[in-house]
Amino acid sequence: VQLVESGGGLVQAGGSLRVSCTASGRTAAMGWFRRAPGKEREFVAAIKWSSGNTYYRDSVKGRFTISGDIAQNTVRLEMNSLKPEDTAVYYCAADLKSPVGTYGYYLDYYHTEGNYGYWGQGTQVTVSS
């Protein structure tokens, strides 16, 4: 599976941006991670197609929304009320596995980048103060 990202760019604090990602094949879940300068890559959000459940890191809840179209193998991340600390390279990721578990299990599962087998090349999001 290949992942191709688009969107991102430069915006002032408080503004909005959208990043999108299209997969070349079917996936079980797709997510977004980000890596800020000098920091490790971290989980941002994920969506599990079979249930439609979404998962977010605490710092983006209420500001970011992940959505998508399984028929188009596309996932989007709408980012509102952006802050300078959201500046990072945003990576799309895909998981082809369908583990069985509770919501809490999936919350931990999708936070873990090792559970994603496929990654996009990354797209820059810069928020100026």
Side-chain angles (χ1 to χ4, degrees):
V1 174
Q2 293 183 322
L3 305 178
V4 179
E5 297 133 337
S6 61
L10 173 64
V11 68
Q12 288 188 330
S16 299
L17 281 175
R18 180 171 68 181
V19 289
S20 299
C21 175
T22 299
S24 61
R26 292 295 294 270
T27 62
M30 295 181 74
W32 290 95
F33 284 70
R34 65 187 181 188
R35 178 181 281 136
K39 295 187 177 181
E40 293 187 352
R41 190 158 57 184
E42 63 182 17
F43 170 78
V44 177
I47 184 167
K48 186 176 186 298
W49 296 124
S50 61
S51 62
N53 284 342
T54 57
Y55 310 86
Y56 298 93
R57 72 177 298 105
D58 288 344
S59 63
V60 308
K61 286 180 181 177
R63 299 190 298 122
F64 290 13
T65 302
I66 188 170
S67 63
D69 184 340
I70 187 173
Q72 300 293 326
N73 298 322
T74 297
V75 66
R76 294 175 292 274
L77 185 68
E78 301 279 353
M79 302 178 287
N80 299 314
S81 302
L82 281 161
K83 304 175 182 180
E85 52 263 43
D86 295 316
T87 295
V89 177
Y90 282 70
Y91 296 89
C92 177
D95 179 24
L96 272 57
K97 305 180 296 296
S98 299
V100 177
T102 63
Y103 182 87
Y105 169 82
Y106 289 125
L107 190 60
D108 289 338
Y109 180 88
Y110 290 122
H111 270 72
T112 305
E113 68 174 87
N115 290 325
Y116 296 83
Y118 302 88
W119 293 85
Q121 79 284 358
T123 185
Q124 179 70 45
V125 170
T126 302
V127 184
S128 63
S129 57

